[in-house]
Every structure is written in C-alpha cells, then in structure tokens.
Amino acid sequence: MSNTLHHKLATMLDVVYPATDTGLLADQLLETMALARDTSAPPAHQNNWDEADVMLITYADTVQRTGEKPLQTLNRFLDDCLKDTVSAVHILPFFPYSSDDGFSVMDYLAVNESHGDWEDIERIAGDYKLMADLVINHMSARSRWFENFRKRIDPGKDYFFEARPSDDLSAVVRPRTSPLLNAVQTEDGERYVWCTFSEDQVDLNFANPQVLNEFVGIIRYYLERGVTIFRLDAVAFLWKEVGTSSIHLQQTHELIKILRLLIEHHTPESVVITETNVPNRENLTYFGNANEAHVIYNFSLPPLLINTLVTGNCRHLKTWLMSMPPAQMGTTYLNFIASHDGVGLRPTDGLLTEEEKLRLINTMESFGGKVSYRRTPDGKDQPYEMNVALFDALKGTAEGGADDWQLQRFICAHTVMLALEGIPAFYIHSLLGTENDHERVENTGRLRSINRGQWNLDTLEAELADPLSHHHNVFTELKRLIAIRRKQPAFHPNATQFTLHLGLQLFGFWRQSMRRDQSIFCIHNITDEVQQVSLGDINLIGTDQWQDLISGLKIDDLSGSLTLKPYQSVWLSNRE
C-alpha cells in the first residue's frame, strides 16, 4: 500500500540515496528500529507539551557530592529542589568523550563511568521527560569507529567524510577558525578528514547509508532507556558536498524527516529538537512543513533580549517578535536565554546592525565576558558568540556600566522568557544565578568554560538557604514565577500571541488560551527608570476582572494607569 510506513520511508530515502535500493534500505531501517512495515502513524499535529512544561538544561556533573556519582547527585537535587518546578531535563552529553565537555563522543551506547550508569539515566527518565543529545554530525577521533577508519576495516572504514586540499571549499560555512581538513595516516596512506568543529571532532559521512542505520540503532537504544526528547546537535552541517556551503542542504532536511518518522512511529509522545545556531530565517526552515523538527531553539531570543535590557530599548526585540510566525500545532519553539554555549551572534544577522553588535560585545566584555570567533568563506574572522554567564551579562547597562539593578534585570529577562510562545528552558547556572567562572577558563583554556562551572551540593544548598545570598533570591523568585506560569492556559506553548505597541521602554505582548477563556497581557519595563502604562492603551475588557498574576494587584480602574518600577513585569490576567 502506498501509505504504509515502509512506502513513506522509501520515498524519503529516494531523495537522499537515489543510487541505492531504497526499498531494501527501508526494510533494514525498520528492522533496526523494530518497526513493522505497516506500523500506524501517530496523530498528526499533536502537541506533546502544555503550559506546565518547563525544561532544565544541565551537565551530568554540574552538581556534585563527595562519594556519590554525579547523576545520582543530580537526581537528588531534582527531587529535593525542583520536583514541582521542571517537567523535563536536558542532560548534556553523558557519554565517554575526549574533548568539548562531552560533544566529542567516543561511545554513543555507554554512560561515562565517572557520571554514573544507564540505571541512573533511567531513574531520572522515570520521573522527568528526558532530553538527550544525539551528537550526529561528528564523532571523537579517539572513538573505535575512527580507529577502524584508520585501519580501513568495518565498522568505520567509510563512516567519516573525506575531501582533498585541492577541492573547492571556498563556500563552506562553519563556526570555527580551525582548519577544515585534517591529514590522517591510515593503512591506505594519508587521507584528509572533514572537521567542522575541531581536529578531535571528525564529521560523519551520511552519504554512506550504513551510518544512518547505525544512528537509527542508537536512537532505538536511547528510546528503550527512557529518552523521549532528541536534540539533534549541529544538525545543519550534517550533509557535506564539495563546492557548496555544506550547510542546510536538502539531504540534511530529508534526513531529519526520516529520523522523525522513525522516532515518532516507535514512541508517539517523543519529540525531535534541532540545534541550529544560525540566522533566524535559516533556523525557521527546520520546522519544514510540520514534518521535520517538532521544536526549534529560539536562537535569536538570547542576544536580542540581552541587548534590550542593557540598552533600555526594545525596538529590535519587538520587530523580531512581530516577524515570528506562529508555530503550527504539533510544533513549537524552545525559549532560552542562556545555555552551556555562549550567546550566539549569527542569529542577530539582519536584526542588529554591525555597530549595534559591536556595542553589545563591548558591553559584555566590560562585564567580564569573552568573545569567540568563526572564519568566514573569505578568510576573515568574525565574532561568533559572546561567552558570559547570564547573571553577569545583565549586571548593568551599555551607557552606565554596572549598577544596583542586576537582580531585577535578571529576573525581568526570565519573566519575558516564561511568558513567550513556546516551551521555556532554564540553564541550571541561570536558575542558580551563577557568575562568570574565570578560574575555570584559565584551567581549561576554553572560553565556553566561563559558564560551565560546577557546584558542590552542600555548598549550593547552603547558598540557596541563605536569604542574604543572591543565589537564594534568584532561585526563589524564578521558582515562584515558574509555579505561576504552569497554571495558566494562556501560556500554553501554542496559545495565541500578539505584540503590543507601548513605546520603546515597555516590551509587551498578549497571550490568549486556545479555548479563549483566558487572556494575559505581559508588560515589562526594560529600563532603569520608572515607566507608566496607560491601561486604556491595552484595551482590557471592562466586563472582566483583571489582576496581576505576579504581584496579586487587582485592577479596579480600567481608565487609569500602572506604575512600573525599573525592570518590573506584570502579567495582567482575566482569571486567577
């Protein structure tokens, strides 16, 4: 039958592997995934999330306790401190690795022994939706596959992408300044392997269908251990072709569709997230026609929101928000303003001018931040990301420098994120208000280490219990805001959103629940000065009772105004 899973899969494979017997390949992939040819499709446009979904992003070993495996400590911290706060956990690569804090994987099917074991992973997956990285673009140069590549034996012989120094690679887009090709001695002599990110991270060759089959097996293994959310790391670079940019190629998009098809037929509630740190228009293409990523990262949000709060001007943030298409049902955005990586600058292309980017970079450097670079096709080095802890990124303004509004500015940023269309994701160091870790940068020699510090659990618990500690104040207030958010139907990730026009000092938008039984007007003072909000400008319906969900203030006079203190936010709702 033409509508069977096998037929759909073979049709997609035809696009990627036209010279292959795709019927046989489809059979192989279905067998690897333990799926029948006629497995029923999950319901179309199904939202596997709601307003109660909030994600935590963390390394396996960010929180540690002497004598205990970090994954066990993480589980303890989740259960003791975040059980009623987060619904999902993204544990960054927890596999054996050789570099890049886990993103140079040596063995996809093993848990790093220093972190714990699969039982620890399954225990967390039993209580929280678990997101794991599928580091799909590249693998460690110290992996068994790559050792086999050197020896010219399987599995691995043809698993890595090769090119020649004489090839035309002038159009290749990549986020690093290191050499693209690296010479490797093999049993067949010298070969040049493609390394988008580093010499230790060798790009895989998906032109070989057996590489795809290997990853389908890896995915099934993760699903059987409780992983239901798959983050496709650096997936934009997956398919390489000499003479092209080797980014966003058609085969890459088709491979994402193939993986999604297999994943959601195996586990209908599963979710595929693409990690594509690129300009906004390019990022949006990974939704496809609601048949690629279920979720895409809102990569433009972090730099634009930080820029808004340090300049006191929301023009660019508002312009961007108005341009964002509502996600179709069954798809949504992942909203974040900090992560284990730096704050990307490519997502501001076309949104900030070069002068504005430079001003933002200079401001972050004045607050202790660093800057990483990438090499463009014309051989020039351009700023790629700002490396800074979010708490320190918001310690002041571009004009006035550091000030006394750091905590309020930081909370304001997260209040914006919590209310926007999409699923909110908190990097653990933001949830804890962790500052720049300059000592870790010196120890590792890597700029991204500035925001990848580690906490001793006993020390952390003491800080969180101390009312005089900013860590306590950050954690307590963010948990309070999250608790409010999780009860509001108008904050469903797919609820209606419209941008409000309240000038450049007030950033606002309106959310309405899908049943239209709740409206919330989200208004944020993004300056260090008091601002007035005319209630008449936001057209509150007179027959409804309105109150601010954050402060509890009830609105009695709809013709009056609200006074917002510096960086204060209000969520005006017509239901409690």
Side-chain angles (χ1 to χ4, degrees), residues 17 43 130 142 157 206 214 221 227 235 248 260 278 281 289 303 307 313 322 332 402 421 481 534 542 547 566 575:
Y17 305 108
L130 180 60
R142 291 174 52 192
K157 178 182 176 182
F206 274 84
E214 291 275 13
Y221 191 83
V227 175
V235 72
H248 310 317
R260 169 173 169 164
V278 294
R281 289 181 181 273
N289 293 315
N307 183 71
N313 185 318
M322 288 189 293
T332 193
E421 174 189 355
L481 291 170
S534 172
Q547 70 168 345
R575 54 173 278 184

PDB file of all heavy atoms in Angstrom, residues 17 43 130 142 157 206 214 221 227 235 248 260 278 281 289 303 307 313 322 332 402 421 481 534 542 547 566 575:
ATOM      1  N   TYR A  17      19.310   9.012  -1.190  1.00  0.00           N
ATOM      2  CA  TYR A  17      20.142   7.941  -1.742  1.00  0.00           C
ATOM      3  C   TYR A  17      19.559   7.435  -3.078  1.00  0.00           C
ATOM      4  O   TYR A  17      19.082   6.299  -3.180  1.00  0.00           O
ATOM      5  CB  TYR A  17      20.231   6.782  -0.740  1.00  0.00           C
ATOM      6  CG  TYR A  17      20.732   7.181   0.630  1.00  0.00           C
ATOM      7  CD1 TYR A  17      19.863   7.225   1.726  1.00  0.00           C
ATOM      8  CD2 TYR A  17      22.068   7.520   0.829  1.00  0.00           C
ATOM      9  CE1 TYR A  17      20.329   7.586   2.988  1.00  0.00           C
ATOM     10  CE2 TYR A  17      22.538   7.881   2.088  1.00  0.00           C
ATOM     11  CZ  TYR A  17      21.657   7.920   3.158  1.00  0.00           C
ATOM     12  OH  TYR A  17      22.118   8.269   4.408  1.00  0.00           O
ATOM     13  N   PRO A  43      -1.035  10.463  15.767  1.00  0.00           N
ATOM     14  CA  PRO A  43      -1.946  11.530  15.327  1.00  0.00           C
ATOM     15  C   PRO A  43      -1.169  12.724  14.787  1.00  0.00           C
ATOM     16  O   PRO A  43      -0.130  13.104  15.335  1.00  0.00           O
ATOM     17  CB  PRO A  43      -2.710  11.896  16.606  1.00  0.00           C
ATOM     18  CG  PRO A  43      -2.582  10.699  17.486  1.00  0.00           C
ATOM     19  CD  PRO A  43      -1.253  10.096  17.180  1.00  0.00           C
ATOM     20  N   LEU A 130      12.969  13.208  29.534  1.00  0.00           N
ATOM     21  CA  LEU A 130      14.422  13.300  29.419  1.00  0.00           C
ATOM     22  C   LEU A 130      14.833  13.636  27.991  1.00  0.00           C
ATOM     23  O   LEU A 130      14.446  12.945  27.042  1.00  0.00           O
ATOM     24  CB  LEU A 130      15.073  11.983  29.843  1.00  0.00           C
ATOM     25  CG  LEU A 130      16.602  11.954  29.758  1.00  0.00           C
ATOM     26  CD1 LEU A 130      17.235  13.021  30.651  1.00  0.00           C
ATOM     27  CD2 LEU A 130      17.133  10.574  30.125  1.00  0.00           C
ATOM     28  N   ARG A 142      39.130   9.673  18.777  1.00  0.00           N
ATOM     29  CA  ARG A 142      39.619   8.577  19.611  1.00  0.00           C
ATOM     30  C   ARG A 142      38.578   7.473  19.754  1.00  0.00           C
ATOM     31  O   ARG A 142      38.735   6.578  20.579  1.00  0.00           O
ATOM     32  CB  ARG A 142      40.017   9.121  20.985  1.00  0.00           C
ATOM     33  CG  ARG A 142      41.263  10.009  20.939  1.00  0.00           C
ATOM     34  CD  ARG A 142      41.531  10.652  22.287  1.00  0.00           C
ATOM     35  NE  ARG A 142      41.562   9.694  23.383  1.00  0.00           N
ATOM     36  CZ  ARG A 142      41.552  10.022  24.670  1.00  0.00           C
ATOM     37  NH1 ARG A 142      41.495  11.310  25.018  1.00  0.00           N
ATOM     38  NH2 ARG A 142      41.590   9.097  25.605  1.00  0.00           N
ATOM     39  N   LYS A 157      35.184   2.071   8.404  1.00  0.00           N
ATOM     40  CA  LYS A 157      36.036   2.309   7.229  1.00  0.00           C
ATOM     41  C   LYS A 157      35.553   3.490   6.394  1.00  0.00           C
ATOM     42  O   LYS A 157      36.345   4.348   5.998  1.00  0.00           O
ATOM     43  CB  LYS A 157      36.091   1.048   6.380  1.00  0.00           C
ATOM     44  CG  LYS A 157      36.921   1.193   5.111  1.00  0.00           C
ATOM     45  CD  LYS A 157      36.885  -0.087   4.295  1.00  0.00           C
ATOM     46  CE  LYS A 157      37.640   0.088   2.986  1.00  0.00           C
ATOM     47  NZ  LYS A 157      37.569  -1.134   2.148  1.00  0.00           N
ATOM     48  N   PHE A 206      27.255  10.747   6.066  1.00  0.00           N
ATOM     49  CA  PHE A 206      25.905  10.201   5.898  1.00  0.00           C
ATOM     50  C   PHE A 206      25.590   9.839   4.457  1.00  0.00           C
ATOM     51  O   PHE A 206      24.521   9.297   4.166  1.00  0.00           O
ATOM     52  CB  PHE A 206      24.866  11.168   6.470  1.00  0.00           C
ATOM     53  CG  PHE A 206      24.645  10.973   7.947  1.00  0.00           C
ATOM     54  CD1 PHE A 206      25.485  11.574   8.873  1.00  0.00           C
ATOM     55  CD2 PHE A 206      23.628  10.164   8.404  1.00  0.00           C
ATOM     56  CE1 PHE A 206      25.298  11.378  10.233  1.00  0.00           C
ATOM     57  CE2 PHE A 206      23.434   9.956   9.761  1.00  0.00           C
ATOM     58  CZ  PHE A 206      24.273  10.562  10.684  1.00  0.00           C
ATOM     59  N   GLU A 214      23.310   2.995  11.603  1.00  0.00           N
ATOM     60  CA  GLU A 214      23.949   2.978  12.934  1.00  0.00           C
ATOM     61  C   GLU A 214      23.218   3.928  13.881  1.00  0.00           C
ATOM     62  O   GLU A 214      22.949   3.582  15.042  1.00  0.00           O
ATOM     63  CB  GLU A 214      25.416   3.389  12.823  1.00  0.00           C
ATOM     64  CG  GLU A 214      26.319   2.392  12.107  1.00  0.00           C
ATOM     65  CD  GLU A 214      26.839   1.288  13.024  1.00  0.00           C
ATOM     66  OE1 GLU A 214      26.323   1.132  14.140  1.00  0.00           O
ATOM     67  OE2 GLU A 214      27.781   0.582  12.593  1.00  0.00           O
ATOM     68  N   TYR A 221      18.086   2.514  21.017  1.00  0.00           N
ATOM     69  CA  TYR A 221      18.689   2.196  22.310  1.00  0.00           C
ATOM     70  C   TYR A 221      18.318   3.270  23.339  1.00  0.00           C
ATOM     71  O   TYR A 221      17.980   2.955  24.485  1.00  0.00           O
ATOM     72  CB  TYR A 221      20.206   2.118  22.141  1.00  0.00           C
ATOM     73  CG  TYR A 221      20.945   1.555  23.325  1.00  0.00           C
ATOM     74  CD1 TYR A 221      21.067   0.184  23.516  1.00  0.00           C
ATOM     75  CD2 TYR A 221      21.552   2.403  24.261  1.00  0.00           C
ATOM     76  CE1 TYR A 221      21.756  -0.333  24.611  1.00  0.00           C
ATOM     77  CE2 TYR A 221      22.238   1.898  25.348  1.00  0.00           C
ATOM     78  CZ  TYR A 221      22.345   0.524  25.518  1.00  0.00           C
ATOM     79  OH  TYR A 221      23.034   0.031  26.591  1.00  0.00           O
ATOM     80  N   VAL A 227      14.648   7.876  27.059  1.00  0.00           N
ATOM     81  CA  VAL A 227      14.800   9.166  26.387  1.00  0.00           C
ATOM     82  C   VAL A 227      13.603   9.376  25.465  1.00  0.00           C
ATOM     83  O   VAL A 227      13.263   8.503  24.661  1.00  0.00           O
ATOM     84  CB  VAL A 227      16.108   9.222  25.579  1.00  0.00           C
ATOM     85  CG1 VAL A 227      16.199  10.528  24.781  1.00  0.00           C
ATOM     86  CG2 VAL A 227      17.317   9.065  26.502  1.00  0.00           C
ATOM     87  N   VAL A 235      23.045  19.811  13.629  1.00  0.00           N
ATOM     88  CA  VAL A 235      22.496  19.037  12.508  1.00  0.00           C
ATOM     89  C   VAL A 235      22.530  19.793  11.186  1.00  0.00           C
ATOM     90  O   VAL A 235      22.499  19.176  10.107  1.00  0.00           O
ATOM     91  CB  VAL A 235      21.063  18.573  12.847  1.00  0.00           C
ATOM     92  CG1 VAL A 235      20.086  19.744  12.821  1.00  0.00           C
ATOM     93  CG2 VAL A 235      20.619  17.447  11.929  1.00  0.00           C
ATOM     94  N   HIS A 248      22.662  23.363   5.659  1.00  0.00           N
ATOM     95  CA  HIS A 248      21.238  23.399   5.297  1.00  0.00           C
ATOM     96  C   HIS A 248      20.948  22.711   3.956  1.00  0.00           C
ATOM     97  O   HIS A 248      19.977  23.078   3.282  1.00  0.00           O
ATOM     98  CB  HIS A 248      20.723  24.847   5.198  1.00  0.00           C
ATOM     99  CG  HIS A 248      21.040  25.726   6.351  1.00  0.00           C
ATOM    100  ND1 HIS A 248      20.924  25.329   7.664  1.00  0.00           N
ATOM    101  CD2 HIS A 248      21.482  27.033   6.382  1.00  0.00           C
ATOM    102  CE1 HIS A 248      21.254  26.344   8.455  1.00  0.00           C
ATOM    103  NE2 HIS A 248      21.609  27.368   7.704  1.00  0.00           N
ATOM    104  N   ARG A 260      12.676  11.645  12.266  1.00  0.00           N
ATOM    105  CA  ARG A 260      11.419  11.942  12.975  1.00  0.00           C
ATOM    106  C   ARG A 260      10.386  10.861  12.687  1.00  0.00           C
ATOM    107  O   ARG A 260       9.679  10.399  13.602  1.00  0.00           O
ATOM    108  CB  ARG A 260      10.884  13.309  12.557  1.00  0.00           C
ATOM    109  CG  ARG A 260       9.456  13.526  13.063  1.00  0.00           C
ATOM    110  CD  ARG A 260       8.953  14.905  12.818  1.00  0.00           C
ATOM    111  NE  ARG A 260       7.515  14.984  13.082  1.00  0.00           N
ATOM    112  CZ  ARG A 260       6.848  16.111  13.239  1.00  0.00           C
ATOM    113  NH1 ARG A 260       7.467  17.263  13.157  1.00  0.00           N
ATOM    114  NH2 ARG A 260       5.560  16.107  13.469  1.00  0.00           N
ATOM    115  N   VAL A 278      21.951  29.551  13.844  1.00  0.00           N
ATOM    116  CA  VAL A 278      22.132  30.242  12.571  1.00  0.00           C
ATOM    117  C   VAL A 278      21.172  31.426  12.517  1.00  0.00           C
ATOM    118  O   VAL A 278      20.312  31.581  13.388  1.00  0.00           O
ATOM    119  CB  VAL A 278      21.858  29.277  11.392  1.00  0.00           C
ATOM    120  CG1 VAL A 278      22.908  28.161  11.354  1.00  0.00           C
ATOM    121  CG2 VAL A 278      20.453  28.689  11.464  1.00  0.00           C
ATOM    122  N   ARG A 281      15.971  33.364   9.847  1.00  0.00           N
ATOM    123  CA  ARG A 281      15.232  32.814   8.705  1.00  0.00           C
ATOM    124  C   ARG A 281      15.686  31.391   8.397  1.00  0.00           C
ATOM    125  O   ARG A 281      14.880  30.537   8.036  1.00  0.00           O
ATOM    126  CB  ARG A 281      15.404  33.712   7.479  1.00  0.00           C
ATOM    127  CG  ARG A 281      14.669  35.042   7.574  1.00  0.00           C
ATOM    128  CD  ARG A 281      14.861  35.867   6.307  1.00  0.00           C
ATOM    129  NE  ARG A 281      14.181  37.140   6.403  1.00  0.00           N
ATOM    130  CZ  ARG A 281      12.908  37.357   6.082  1.00  0.00           C
ATOM    131  NH1 ARG A 281      12.176  36.333   5.648  1.00  0.00           N
ATOM    132  NH2 ARG A 281      12.365  38.543   6.186  1.00  0.00           N
ATOM    133  N   ASN A 289       7.461  21.443   6.821  1.00  0.00           N
ATOM    134  CA  ASN A 289       6.008  21.606   6.762  1.00  0.00           C
ATOM    135  C   ASN A 289       5.384  20.848   7.929  1.00  0.00           C
ATOM    136  O   ASN A 289       4.514  20.004   7.748  1.00  0.00           O
ATOM    137  CB  ASN A 289       5.460  21.095   5.430  1.00  0.00           C
ATOM    138  CG  ASN A 289       5.919  21.939   4.262  1.00  0.00           C
ATOM    139  OD1 ASN A 289       5.891  23.164   4.334  1.00  0.00           O
ATOM    140  ND2 ASN A 289       6.366  21.296   3.191  1.00  0.00           N
ATOM    141  N   PRO A 303      20.422  36.900  22.417  1.00  0.00           N
ATOM    142  CA  PRO A 303      21.136  38.152  22.163  1.00  0.00           C
ATOM    143  C   PRO A 303      20.221  39.358  22.082  1.00  0.00           C
ATOM    144  O   PRO A 303      20.586  40.456  22.541  1.00  0.00           O
ATOM    145  CB  PRO A 303      21.854  37.901  20.825  1.00  0.00           C
ATOM    146  CG  PRO A 303      21.073  36.816  20.165  1.00  0.00           C
ATOM    147  CD  PRO A 303      20.576  35.952  21.288  1.00  0.00           C
ATOM    148  N   ASN A 307      20.405  42.452  24.651  1.00  0.00           N
ATOM    149  CA  ASN A 307      20.613  43.780  24.063  1.00  0.00           C
ATOM    150  C   ASN A 307      19.522  44.752  24.517  1.00  0.00           C
ATOM    151  O   ASN A 307      19.800  45.911  24.836  1.00  0.00           O
ATOM    152  CB  ASN A 307      20.618  43.673  22.544  1.00  0.00           C
ATOM    153  CG  ASN A 307      20.909  44.999  21.870  1.00  0.00           C
ATOM    154  OD1 ASN A 307      22.024  45.499  21.916  1.00  0.00           O
ATOM    155  ND2 ASN A 307      19.891  45.580  21.252  1.00  0.00           N
ATOM    156  N   ASN A 313      16.042  49.668  25.322  1.00  0.00           N
ATOM    157  CA  ASN A 313      15.296  49.948  24.101  1.00  0.00           C
ATOM    158  C   ASN A 313      14.874  48.606  23.493  1.00  0.00           C
ATOM    159  O   ASN A 313      15.721  47.758  23.200  1.00  0.00           O
ATOM    160  CB  ASN A 313      16.178  50.733  23.119  1.00  0.00           C
ATOM    161  CG  ASN A 313      15.439  51.164  21.866  1.00  0.00           C
ATOM    162  OD1 ASN A 313      14.667  50.403  21.291  1.00  0.00           O
ATOM    163  ND2 ASN A 313      15.686  52.392  21.439  1.00  0.00           N
ATOM    164  N   MET A 322       7.363  40.454  16.184  1.00  0.00           N
ATOM    165  CA  MET A 322       6.277  40.631  15.219  1.00  0.00           C
ATOM    166  C   MET A 322       6.499  39.799  13.963  1.00  0.00           C
ATOM    167  O   MET A 322       5.544  39.424  13.276  1.00  0.00           O
ATOM    168  CB  MET A 322       6.143  42.111  14.858  1.00  0.00           C
ATOM    169  CG  MET A 322       5.555  42.970  15.954  1.00  0.00           C
ATOM    170  SD  MET A 322       5.179  44.656  15.396  1.00  0.00           S
ATOM    171  CE  MET A 322       6.839  45.297  15.085  1.00  0.00           C
ATOM    172  N   THR A 332       6.584  23.754  18.034  1.00  0.00           N
ATOM    173  CA  THR A 332       6.689  24.947  18.877  1.00  0.00           C
ATOM    174  C   THR A 332       8.140  25.346  19.005  1.00  0.00           C
ATOM    175  O   THR A 332       9.048  24.707  18.465  1.00  0.00           O
ATOM    176  CB  THR A 332       6.045  24.715  20.261  1.00  0.00           C
ATOM    177  OG1 THR A 332       5.893  25.976  20.924  1.00  0.00           O
ATOM    178  CG2 THR A 332       6.902  23.802  21.138  1.00  0.00           C
ATOM    179  N   ALA A 402      28.018  48.848  35.305  1.00  0.00           N
ATOM    180  CA  ALA A 402      27.415  48.075  36.393  1.00  0.00           C
ATOM    181  C   ALA A 402      26.621  48.991  37.320  1.00  0.00           C
ATOM    182  O   ALA A 402      27.008  50.139  37.565  1.00  0.00           O
ATOM    183  CB  ALA A 402      28.498  47.332  37.168  1.00  0.00           C
ATOM    184  N   GLU A 421       5.434  32.638  23.568  1.00  0.00           N
ATOM    185  CA  GLU A 421       5.013  31.419  22.878  1.00  0.00           C
ATOM    186  C   GLU A 421       6.171  30.435  22.830  1.00  0.00           C
ATOM    187  O   GLU A 421       7.272  30.771  22.407  1.00  0.00           O
ATOM    188  CB  GLU A 421       4.580  31.761  21.449  1.00  0.00           C
ATOM    189  CG  GLU A 421       4.247  30.549  20.592  1.00  0.00           C
ATOM    190  CD  GLU A 421       4.042  30.882  19.132  1.00  0.00           C
ATOM    191  OE1 GLU A 421       4.058  32.077  18.771  1.00  0.00           O
ATOM    192  OE2 GLU A 421       3.864  29.941  18.327  1.00  0.00           O
ATOM    193  N   LEU A 481       7.853  32.314  39.944  1.00  0.00           N
ATOM    194  CA  LEU A 481       7.320  32.691  38.632  1.00  0.00           C
ATOM    195  C   LEU A 481       6.960  31.459  37.799  1.00  0.00           C
ATOM    196  O   LEU A 481       5.948  31.440  37.105  1.00  0.00           O
ATOM    197  CB  LEU A 481       8.330  33.563  37.887  1.00  0.00           C
ATOM    198  CG  LEU A 481       8.558  34.960  38.457  1.00  0.00           C
ATOM    199  CD1 LEU A 481       9.760  35.618  37.783  1.00  0.00           C
ATOM    200  CD2 LEU A 481       7.317  35.823  38.282  1.00  0.00           C
ATOM    201  N   SER A 534      -0.517  53.159  30.460  1.00  0.00           N
ATOM    202  CA  SER A 534      -1.919  53.551  30.392  1.00  0.00           C
ATOM    203  C   SER A 534      -2.755  52.315  30.095  1.00  0.00           C
ATOM    204  O   SER A 534      -2.573  51.661  29.066  1.00  0.00           O
ATOM    205  CB  SER A 534      -2.135  54.607  29.306  1.00  0.00           C
ATOM    206  OG  SER A 534      -3.519  54.843  29.115  1.00  0.00           O
ATOM    207  N   GLY A 542     -13.832  45.502  29.852  1.00  0.00           N
ATOM    208  CA  GLY A 542     -14.413  46.052  31.075  1.00  0.00           C
ATOM    209  C   GLY A 542     -15.269  45.080  31.853  1.00  0.00           C
ATOM    210  O   GLY A 542     -15.474  45.256  33.062  1.00  0.00           O
ATOM    211  N   GLN A 547      -6.268  41.093  37.167  1.00  0.00           N
ATOM    212  CA  GLN A 547      -5.275  41.219  38.227  1.00  0.00           C
ATOM    213  C   GLN A 547      -3.905  40.830  37.690  1.00  0.00           C
ATOM    214  O   GLN A 547      -3.786  40.107  36.694  1.00  0.00           O
ATOM    215  CB  GLN A 547      -5.632  40.343  39.421  1.00  0.00           C
ATOM    216  CG  GLN A 547      -5.497  38.854  39.187  1.00  0.00           C
ATOM    217  CD  GLN A 547      -5.570  38.056  40.491  1.00  0.00           C
ATOM    218  OE1 GLN A 547      -5.443  38.606  41.581  1.00  0.00           O
ATOM    219  NE2 GLN A 547      -5.760  36.756  40.369  1.00  0.00           N
ATOM    220  N   PRO A 566      11.715  50.118  37.830  1.00  0.00           N
ATOM    221  CA  PRO A 566      12.720  49.607  36.893  1.00  0.00           C
ATOM    222  C   PRO A 566      12.701  48.081  36.830  1.00  0.00           C
ATOM    223  O   PRO A 566      12.732  47.404  37.862  1.00  0.00           O
ATOM    224  CB  PRO A 566      14.031  50.131  37.473  1.00  0.00           C
ATOM    225  CG  PRO A 566      13.649  51.422  38.137  1.00  0.00           C
ATOM    226  CD  PRO A 566      12.290  51.135  38.738  1.00  0.00           C
ATOM    227  N   ARG A 575      -8.301  35.934  34.708  1.00  0.00           N
ATOM    228  CA  ARG A 575      -8.658  34.842  35.613  1.00  0.00           C
ATOM    229  C   ARG A 575      -7.471  34.578  36.525  1.00  0.00           C
ATOM    230  O   ARG A 575      -6.333  34.843  36.182  1.00  0.00           O
ATOM    231  CB  ARG A 575      -9.047  33.562  34.877  1.00  0.00           C
ATOM    232  CG  ARG A 575      -8.035  33.068  33.882  1.00  0.00           C
ATOM    233  CD  ARG A 575      -8.405  31.715  33.302  1.00  0.00           C
ATOM    234  NE  ARG A 575      -8.016  30.626  34.197  1.00  0.00           N
ATOM    235  CZ  ARG A 575      -8.165  29.336  33.880  1.00  0.00           C
ATOM    236  NH1 ARG A 575      -8.730  28.989  32.739  1.00  0.00           N
ATOM    237  NH2 ARG A 575      -7.772  28.383  34.703  1.00  0.00           N
TER     238      ARG A 575
END
